Structures are given as C-alpha cells and as structure tokens.
Amino acid sequence: MPGASFLFWTIEVVVGTRLPGEGMASTIHSMSAGLLSYEAAAAQVTAYARKIRAGGCSTERAELAHAQGRVLARDLKADQDQPPFARSTRDGFACRAKDASAHKFLCIAVSTRAGEAPAGPVPPHSAWEIMTGAPVPSGANAVVMLEHVEKLADKAGELVRLASPRKIAAGENIVARGAQARKGDVLMPAGSVIGPAQIALAATCGYTALEVHMRPRVAILTTGDELVPVECKPGAGQIRNSNAPMLAALVAASGGEPWVLPAAADLKDALDAALSEAIEADFLLISGGVSAGKFDLVEPALARIGARFHFTGVRIQPGKPLVFGEVPRGGRSRGSGKAKSLPFFGLPGNPVSSAVTFLLFGTPVLAALAGGGAAGPRFAMAELAADTNRRTKPGLTRFLPAHCDFNPRAGKRARVETVPWQGSGDLAAFARSNCFLMVPEEVGSLKAGAMVSILLI
Ligand code: AMP
Ligand code: MG
C-alpha cells in the first residue's frame, strides 16, 4: 500500500538538481531506464513539501460559512468545558442507579427540558423526567430510557420503575461535564483542514470566524500552438484548451487559488513572456511542451529564468515526461512576502496525464504551501472486479482510469474496474472514472479478486 511504503521512500530520498539546456528533453526522454521510479519521485516531492511547510505564510479571517476547505492557522481552543454540563443522551428519567436497579416505584419529581438551566437535587427515591440534551439534575447518576420504564398512576401522582430484569449502572446515558474537552484544551491544531465537522466544532466553541492561511496562488500556464479558448470553434488541427479549466478545478479542490494565464504558443518569446508573469505566483503548473517533440520548449524556457530541475521524467504511465523544479527568486522575494523560490511542475499536455501527475505530485506541494499537514495523493484499497487484460511492458507504474463502487453489498468490499480508454487524451473515459487503478512497475497485469491500490480523484 502506498501509504505504508512512503516511510521507506523517505529514507531513500536524494533531492538532486540539474540544469538542462536546449535540446536536453530529447536526451532525457529517450532513456526511460535513467528516470526516477514513481516511489523515488514521490519521495523527492514529499521531502520538498516537508521543507517548504516550515516556512510561514500570511493569514486571513474566514467566516464559518466560507471556511470549508481552508487551513486553520491557529490552534482552536475550547472556550468552556465540553459538554458544559452533565448532559442526558436520552429521553427518560434521571435517578440514582441503585434505586432504579432495585425495581421499586419512584415518584416523578420534576421535569427538565433541553435548554433549561441545571437543577436538582433529585429527592430520595424519586425520578426526574428529562429530555435528550437537558442537564442532568444534581443527585442523579443515571438516566433510565423512557422505553425501559413501567408507569403507575396513584393518588400521590405518577410513579415509574425500571422494567425488570433490566439493570442500570451509574453514568449510563449521561455525558459528564468536560468529558469531551476541558476549557482551554486544543481541539484542532493549526494546519487542520476545515470541513463540516470542524466548522461545527468551531461554532460550538463560539467562533464566528477562523484565522486561516491565505490560499496559495497557483499559476496555470497551458502551452500549445493547437489550443483555442473553450468558447471558440476549433479550426482544422486545433483543439479546445481543456486543461486550463480542469487544472483550475483540481487546484481549487486542493485548497489553491487558481490563476489561469492565457495559453502560450510553442514559441520561445511567447513562453518567456508568459513565464515572466507566472513567476509572481506561489506555485506554477505548466501543461504541455515537456515531451521529446521539436516544439517542446518549456524546459529550455524554464532554464532561461534560472530554474533548478529536481527531476525531468518519472517511470509512470501516463505522465512520464513530468518535470519538477523550482525557480529561485533571488532578491525579488525580499519584502514581497513571497517564498525564496517558486516551485513548478511541467505537466505533460495530454489531459489525463496532466490530471494524474497533478494528483500524484502537485497535491502534496500545494497542501504544504496552503499550510496544511501531510496531505497528498489519496489512495484506497479495493478489490479488482476483472483481470486487467492488457499486458503492457513492465518498467512503468501505471495509473489506469477506473471506476470503483464504494457502496458494495453488505459484507462485500469496494470493487474497482478499469474503464476502457483510448489513451491519455481520452476525456470521455476519464469522465466515466472516479479513480485510477495503480499497477506497480514490476507487475504486467492484475487478476480479478486481487486487492489493489486506487488513486482517488
Ligand atoms: P504536449 O505535452 O504538448 O506534447 O501535448 C500532448 C497532447 O496533449 C497533445 O495531443 C496536445 O494537443 C494535448 N494538449 C496539450 N495541451 C492541452 C490542453 N491545454 N488541453 C487539451 N489538450 C492538450
Ligand atoms: Mg504541445
């Protein structure tokens, strides 16, 4: 399982740098054997993410209604004991457990509704009617459920007793004051990603807004002479730019603020101009132009602005030409509030390759820049529904578009099936997928029934 082997990878990590020049891409991509394995590349990225996580980033206040997906910048502490009073978890009768377990009829003293102030004490041999969420009166140490009592009316009023042979122990159906947290306890550490549960917790502690990290601004630079904007009708040989909105969606879902730049042509000057603008971002994603083709000019353009390359190619499919590095900002970072260098990925242009490489390698860097904890690609285990019939050459870790049924019948495991596809440009197949089946490098094909790793989208 990827999560388990991550520990191992971090031991092997070697963060290398290289400076490619013009024409370097073709040398690199002709030598698959010299490329990093998926594990080694993931380890480098994880190590890099850990390094940048230490750097502080600016914060802002987010109203609870807009806090979903944000990253907490300061520890959140309990403003009072939780719960603030001993609370009944049932509708029923608060009493002494010893009295109830003796099965004697107890007279009903008073009644407490949720929202009423704590009261008591409960008179001897009495029961106190109580509603779920109401404070347990002093003197009582258990709440007998309404469903478990027998009632009797007599001249003195209504009587109740615990139906025989049931017994009740002290503390049953009561959450003691402070059982969940004590005033001042850290309930959520800085770096927590805020979701519905965290919003509820903040609300219960009286926070109407939370101090959160600013979202990192992620420049999305798509490249390619063939690209036209989505609203245009493509001419002969042209295609619509689908990577820009797709990457923007992926970035937003991972806590970044997408900054979509106009697509750049496969021309030296166009790339130089686009990169001089993109350098202002906190993180840069470039799509296209990193393969071995004659017009794949992204690496030389990055080299011209002083980029350091950590790796240029990974033994994965799709996504083999992936490039990872950083551009030092030099004196420009001083006083600008920006980090000393701009991390970037050169993602292969095929849409599925772009998506897979962002999910695998872009997410940990983005999470670190966003101030979050060890977030990264999300993997799960599922049972393979059918053999992967296509034997492909080993030596590449593959990520095949797949669909996982996460609602299996009772007692069954989540089952995953590959989605037939026509390669990494097949957006229709991608849209039918909800995960990628990971086929390890040394495995040619997988058999039905095997437990496999899936990368969640
Ligand atoms: P490249 O990585 O530039 O060699 O592009 C590989 C494939 O991805 C080519 O078929 C491109 O047309 C396609 N492609 C590149 N960029 C985009 C994009 N922004 N949107 C959709 N397809 C793209
Ligand atoms: Mg291209």
Side-chain angles (χ1 to χ4, degrees), residues 160-252:
V160 280
R161 71 171 171 192
L162 175 62
S164 187
R166 286 183 189 279
K167 297 276 178 201
I168 190 161
E172 255 183 77
N173 302 323
I174 295 174
V175 183
R177 174 180 175 157
Q180 293 155 4
R182 286 287 177 195
K183 181 178 176 172
D185 282 356
V186 174
L187 297 177
M188 241 200 297
S192 303
V193 178
I194 300 165
Q198 292 72 22
I199 288 173
L201 180 62
T204 210
C205 293
Y207 295 86
T208 56
L210 292 170
E211 197 67 21
V212 296
H213 286 287
M214 299 287 282
R215 283 195 182 94
R217 198 152 85 116
V218 185
I220 295 167
L221 173 60
T222 46
T223 71
D225 288 339
E226 71 278 34
L227 303 178
V228 297
V230 179
E231 60 277 15
C232 293
K233 191 171 162 47
Q238 295 182 320
I239 58 164
R240 293 195 180 94
N241 182 353
S242 57
N243 281 355
M246 176 189 74
L247 289 170
L250 285 166
V251 163

Side-chain angles (χ1 to χ4, degrees), residues 204-428:
T204 210
C205 293
Y207 295 86
T208 56
L210 292 170
E211 197 67 21
V212 296
H213 286 287
M214 299 287 282
R215 283 195 182 94
R217 198 152 85 116
V218 185
I220 295 167
L221 173 60
T222 46
T223 71
D225 288 339
E226 71 278 34
L227 303 178
V228 297
V230 179
E231 60 277 15
C232 293
K233 191 171 162 47
Q238 295 182 320
I239 58 164
R240 293 195 180 94
N241 182 353
S242 57
N243 281 355
M246 176 189 74
L247 289 170
L250 285 166
V251 163
S254 300
E257 184 192 314
W259 173 29
V260 177
L261 295 165
D266 294 315
L267 291 169
K268 179 174 177 289
D269 291 351
L271 290 169
D272 287 349
L275 287 180
S276 71
E277 194 177 352
I279 189 99
E280 296 305 322
D282 299 310
F283 186 22
L284 169 60
L285 300 174
I286 308 163
S287 99
V290 289
S291 308
K294 191 171 163 189
F295 299 106
D296 290 323
L297 306 174
V298 165
E299 283 165 84
L302 285 162
R304 280 194 294 281
I305 55 166
R308 289 213 307 267
F309 292 81
H310 296 315
F311 57 72
T312 51
V314 185
R315 295 202 305 270
I316 54 170
Q317 187 189 52
K320 196 166 93 172
L322 176 72
V323 171
F324 171 47
E326 59 191 301
V327 183
R329 291 187 211 268
R332 270 176 301 177
S333 71
R334 226 168 288 130
S336 68
K338 293 201 185 305
K340 286 200 181 74
S341 66
L342 166 71
F344 66 79
F345 281 98
L347 311 173
N350 261 315
V352 182
S353 314
S354 274
V356 166
T357 47
F358 174 79
L359 289 167
L360 289 174
F361 301 102
T363 50
V365 174
L366 183 48
L369 291 166
R378 295 181 309 137
F379 285 95
M381 298 298 284
E383 186 180 321
L384 190 61
D387 295 358
T388 55
N389 44 19
R390 215 159 56 109
R391 260 197 92 86
T392 44
K393 57 175 184 321
L396 298 172
T397 300
R398 279 169 295 140
F399 295 90
L400 306 175
H403 189 274
C404 183
D405 178 4
F406 290 105
N407 295 307
R409 279 180 293 126
K412 299 284 176 196
R413 296 189 175 111
R415 274 162 74 85
V416 64
E417 210 167 348
T418 54
V419 170
W421 70 322
Q422 303 299 317
S424 49
D426 191 345
L427 280 173

